[in-house]
Amino acid sequence: MHDLTGFQRDLLYVIAGADRPSGQSVKDEVEKYYSSEINHGRLYPNLDTLVNKELVEKGQLDRRTNYYAITEAGRREIEERREWEAQYVDF
């Protein structure tokens, strides 16, 4: 996960916390967190990066809508990141 941008990590966390969200659903959640609009030109290339790194899988809900789902590798990356963070921050 060390080679992901902060935005890509945020996308990964949103996908992990949802049940096969569409790209639009991921976008909506990230926009709430960032309090600003995320354009498609930023969103979808970053989602594709997560797919290419095999942290997320992409499937088709219908002819126009894709879904995204966390892979086991993606889940492990999140767990390792959280363990690393816990070394430094323990509230």
Side-chain angles (χ1 to χ4, degrees), residues 2-77:
H2 64 281
D3 61 339
L4 299 181
T5 66
F7 184 69
Q8 291 166 346
R9 280 195 303 269
D10 293 341
L11 294 175
L12 186 62
Y13 276 68
V14 167
I15 293 165
D19 183 27
R20 294 173 47 177
S22 66
Q24 183 64 47
S25 296
V26 172
K27 179 180 180 287
D28 292 344
E29 287 300 314
V30 174
E31 284 179 340
K32 282 185 222 173
Y33 177 69
Y34 281 38
S35 298
S36 67
E37 187 175 337
I38 306 297
N39 66 42
H40 293 306
R42 181 177 184 200
L43 177 68
Y44 289 101
N46 282 286
L47 287 171
D48 288 342
T49 296
L50 296 176
V51 171
N52 291 336
K53 290 182 176 288
E54 299 181 353
L55 302 175
V56 167
E57 69 179 21
K58 178 179 172 181
Q60 211 170 9
L61 289 173
D62 58 44
R63 296 184 80 180
R64 293 187 53 211
T65 309
N66 292 322
Y67 73 83
Y68 296 88
I70 191 85
T71 63
E72 191 57 40
R75 192 170 310 282
R76 276 194 313 272
E77 289 291 325

